[in-house]
């Protein structure tokens, strides 16, 4: 562990593990406040792109998350010869992936799904206004804090964009990645809206809209973009919810909703506003 990190924080037990490192509970030695610290093992970063993303994450995340109530805040960053350490908000209420998996394929009620979606889109709206795209929106990166509040996490794949400046590169997770990313074209922040739409589809239907046995087959399905709502699964889902998903999971980027447009959609404003996310089980 970094000497500066351990001087300022007491490192507690491991509470998570990922592809590039581990997450530990930690405590400020000054205030006693509880945080999480993500320690990224540089030895696991097998190429220059991985290392660049890890080193840029604190800077981009600070731009995107500072004062953003539905994003995990990064409070401090440390680096030594072997690790990059990020001290961030502790979200010990699990993630959306685990909560979806615990339902064993049973769909989530629309009111709860809408409240989760509202929080995700509020986080993305702030990011996009600040010129940052998350680029890896998926249930694993939607966390819950101790009060059940939704927090968008993990800005390791995030990138800055600007007026007339697009992004490039195959970044994201196959089930959730937008078709323009798969096609190798330059793209804008609406890739996050596509991914969030896929998250919404999975919450309401229990299955992804595009799937395959291999990554290649998943990408082929994404590129076809044939969005369907099987009656046996979506028969009880409202027309407003289906309308919003069509507008988010839309191959035509010019017609795809922005984050702000999603937040103004009736399904969000009327269904999601009255539900407390902490009730999500």
């Amino acid at each position: 562990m970094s000497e500066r990190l351990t001087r300022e924080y007491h490192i507690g037990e491991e509470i998570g593990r990922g592809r590039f490192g581990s997450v530990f509970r930690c405590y400020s030695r000054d205030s006693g406040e509880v945080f999480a610290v993500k320690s990224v093992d540089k030895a696991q970063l097998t190429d220059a792109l991985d290392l660049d993303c890890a080193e840029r994450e604190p800077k981009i995340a600070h731009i995107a998350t500072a004062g953003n109530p539905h994003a995990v805040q990064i409070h401090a960053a440390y680096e030594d010869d072997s690790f990059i350490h990020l001290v961030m908000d502790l979200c010990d209420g699990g993630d959306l992936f685990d909560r979806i998996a615990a339902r064993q394929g049973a769909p989530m009620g629309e009111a709860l799904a809408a409240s989760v979606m509202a929080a995700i889109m509020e986080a993305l709206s702030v990011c996009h206004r600040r010129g940052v795209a998350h680029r890896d929106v998926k249930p694993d990166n939607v966390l819950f804090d101790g009060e059940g509040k939704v927090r968008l996490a993990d800005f390791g794949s995030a990138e800055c964009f600007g007026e007339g400046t697009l992004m490039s590169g195959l970044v994201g997770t196959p089930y959730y990645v937008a078709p323009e990313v798969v096609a190798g074209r330059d793209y804008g922040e609406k890739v996050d809206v596509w991914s969030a739409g896929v998250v919404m589809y999975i919450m309401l239907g229990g299955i992804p809209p595009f799937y395959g046995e291999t990554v290649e087959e998943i990408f082929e399905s994404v590129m076809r973009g044939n969005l369907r709502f099987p009656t046996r699964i979506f028969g009880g889902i409202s027309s407003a919810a289906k309308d919003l998903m069509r507008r988010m999971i839309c191959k035509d980027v010019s017609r795809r909703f922005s984050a702000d447009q999603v937040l103004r959609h009736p399904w969000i404003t009327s269904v999601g506003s009255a539900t407390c996310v902490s009730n999500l089980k």
Side-chain angles (χ1 to χ4, degrees):
M1 287 287 182
S2 161
E3 183 179 341
R4 277 189 60 215
L5 171 66
T6 54
R7 186 167 62 244
E8 296 176 16
Y9 295 89
H10 169 71
I11 310 302
E13 72 276 17
E14 181 179 305
I15 56 176
R17 184 179 291 270
R19 186 160 60 105
F20 296 131
S22 300
V23 180
F24 301 87
R25 191 183 304 269
C26 68
Y27 308 83
S28 168
R29 294 191 185 276
D30 287 337
S31 67
E33 191 173 356
V34 186
F35 298 95
V37 57
K38 180 170 75 171
S39 296
V40 178
D41 185 353
K42 292 181 181 179
Q44 299 298 314
L45 305 175
T46 54
D47 57 41
L49 179 60
D50 287 339
L51 182 59
D52 180 61
C53 288
E55 291 176 337
R56 292 170 66 243
E57 180 180 0
K59 301 171 187 175
I60 294 179
H62 179 73
I63 295 170
T65 68
N68 189 340
H70 286 290
V72 173
Q73 315 283 314
I74 291 184
H75 298 277
Y78 305 86
E79 185 173 0
D80 54 38
D81 292 340
S82 301
F83 289 89
I84 297 170
H85 308 280
L86 304 179
V87 177
M88 60 188 69
D89 292 334
L90 175 66
C91 292
D92 54 1
D95 63 40
L96 183 58
F97 179 88
D98 289 338
R99 297 194 183 199
I100 291 172
R103 303 180 73 87
Q104 298 181 328
M108 188 182 297
E110 285 193 46
L112 288 175
S115 65
V116 173
M117 282 302 302
I120 294 171
M121 299 315 299
E122 285 171 9
L124 289 175
S125 176
V126 173
C127 293
H128 294 173
R129 286 199 300 272
R130 295 175 178 176
V132 175
H134 186 281
R135 300 203 301 175
D136 197 18
V137 177
K138 58 183 178 180
D140 319 52
N141 289 335
V142 177
L143 308 183
F144 297 86
D145 64 19
E147 299 176 350
K149 186 176 181 180
V150 173
R151 301 291 193 93
L152 183 62
D154 195 345
F155 285 78
S157 298
E159 182 60 278
C160 294
F161 63 91
E163 189 67 34
T165 303
L166 298 175
M167 298 166 285
S168 62
L170 181 56
V171 179
T173 302
Y175 284 117
Y176 307 93
V177 70
E180 60 268 31
V181 178
V182 178
R185 302 194 300 269
D186 290 347
Y187 51 84
E189 73 279 8
K190 285 186 179 181
V191 296
D192 288 342
V193 177
W194 173 285
S195 301
V198 174
V199 172
M200 177 178 167
Y201 188 103
I202 292 173
M203 283 195 291
L204 293 177
I207 60 171
F210 311 111
Y211 48 87
E213 295 297 324
T214 65
V215 171
E216 291 74 16
E217 289 180 1
I218 296 170
F219 283 164
E220 288 173 3
S221 181
V222 168
M223 289 301 297
R224 286 193 297 271
N226 188 11
L227 184 63
R228 296 178 176 176
F229 299 103
T231 303
R232 64 183 177 83
I233 298 173
F234 287 92
I237 300 300
S238 68
S239 58
K242 294 173 188 174
D243 176 74
L244 179 55
M245 285 186 280
R246 289 189 186 98
R247 295 175 186 274
M248 297 176 73
I249 311 173
C250 176
K251 281 190 69 177
D252 184 344
V253 179
S254 67
R255 294 175 54 239
R256 188 184 307 160
F257 266 14
S258 67
D260 285 341
Q261 286 176 306
V262 173
L263 288 170
R264 293 194 296 268
H265 190 276
W267 188 75
I268 296 290
T269 59
S270 63
V271 179
S273 59
T275 304
C276 177
V277 178
S278 62
N279 292 329
L280 178 61
K281 300 297 182 185

